[in-house]
């Protein structure tokens, strides 16, 4: 009698846990939120997936262009300072990729890159969200028409 009660309780527990897992997975898939576990982190990270990127509006192209134009003098200055410090070529530095900054040596070069990234981020938020800015950058990399629209807008604003 006790044995059958325990076995029913155990199977009910497994069923309830399975139902919770399936429900959470379905909600995640339907809402576009996906969990990620990273080897250097002991936490579960949830992030949103972008399935389709909409083409930027004229206002977004203008904001993007203004942000790029405002960042350019800072970028050139940071690049020249890092070039003076480092022997050899300056590697590509992408603010959204921490490893592109962490691999800079000496530490002074990393500090310059980090300062530039903070300043660039502060500029971007005046015009677009950082996520939208990055989306437009990625779209422009793959779309020659968008790239041309951005160049034309730069000429108009300069």
């Amino acid at each position: 009698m006790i044995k059958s009660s325990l076995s029913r309780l155990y199977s009910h527990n497994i069923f309830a846990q399975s139902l919770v897992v399936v429900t959470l997975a379905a909600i995640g898939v339907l809402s576009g939120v996906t969990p990620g576990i990273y080897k250097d982190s002991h936490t579960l990270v949830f992030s949103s997936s972008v399935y389709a990127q909409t083409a930027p509006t004229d206002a977004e192209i203008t904001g993007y262009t203004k942000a790029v134009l405002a960042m350019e003098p800072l970028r050139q200055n940071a690049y020249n300072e890092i070039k003076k410090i480092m022997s050899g070529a300056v590697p590509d530095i992408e603010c959204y990729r921490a490893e592109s900054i962490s691999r800079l040596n000496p530490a002074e070069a990393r500090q310059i890159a980090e300062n530039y990234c903070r300043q660039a981020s502060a500029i971007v938020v005046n015009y677009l969200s950082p996520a939208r800015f990055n989306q437009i950058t990625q779209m422009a990399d793959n779309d020659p028409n968008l790239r041309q629209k951005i160049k034309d807008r730069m000429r108009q604003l300069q």
Side-chain angles (χ1 to χ4, degrees):
M1 184 77 165
I2 292 176
K3 189 176 184 179
S4 65
S5 294
L6 286 175
S7 115
R8 248 185 281 138
L9 181 61
Y10 180 73
S11 64
H12 178 69
N13 236 1
I14 291 175
F15 177 75
Q17 289 173 347
S18 298
L19 185 60
V20 169
V21 169
V22 168
T23 302
L24 289 174
I27 290 170
V29 167
L30 293 175
S31 68
V33 175
T34 56
I37 298 175
Y38 300 94
K39 69 177 182 173
D40 295 333
S41 175
H42 298 291
T43 60
L44 185 64
V45 179
F46 288 91
S47 62
S48 295
S49 299
V50 178
Y51 294 110
Q53 295 177 346
T54 58
T57 63
D58 283 341
E60 287 177 322
I61 292 172
T62 299
Y64 179 87
T65 304
K66 286 180 177 180
V68 169
L69 290 172
M71 287 186 293
E72 184 58 19
L74 297 173
R75 187 198 65 78
Q76 287 178 358
N77 188 40
Y79 177 84
N80 289 334
E81 286 183 42
I82 292 171
K83 190 175 180 179
K84 287 178 195 173
I85 295 169
M86 295 183 67
S87 56
V90 176
D92 289 340
I93 300 168
E94 297 168 312
C95 292
Y96 65 92
R97 288 184 44 233
E99 70 274 4
S100 74
I101 296 171
S102 64
R103 71 175 178 232
L104 290 174
N105 279 316
E108 188 180 355
R110 277 193 305 278
Q111 186 64 41
I112 292 167
E114 289 169 354
N115 286 339
Y116 164 74
C117 289
R118 274 193 295 278
Q119 291 173 335
S121 180
I123 289 170
V124 167
V125 297
N126 291 322
Y127 301 99
L128 295 167
S129 73
R132 187 60 174 158
F133 182 88
N134 290 336
Q135 286 176 348
I136 294 171
T137 299
Q138 290 174 350
M139 286 187 279
D141 288 344
N142 299 316
D143 183 351
N145 293 329
L146 177 57
R147 216 173 15 253
Q148 188 59 49
K149 285 181 184 180
I150 292 169
K151 286 179 185 178
D152 292 344
R153 192 65 44 89
M154 280 188 182
R155 280 190 218 106
Q156 290 173 353
L157 293 174
Q158 284 178 328

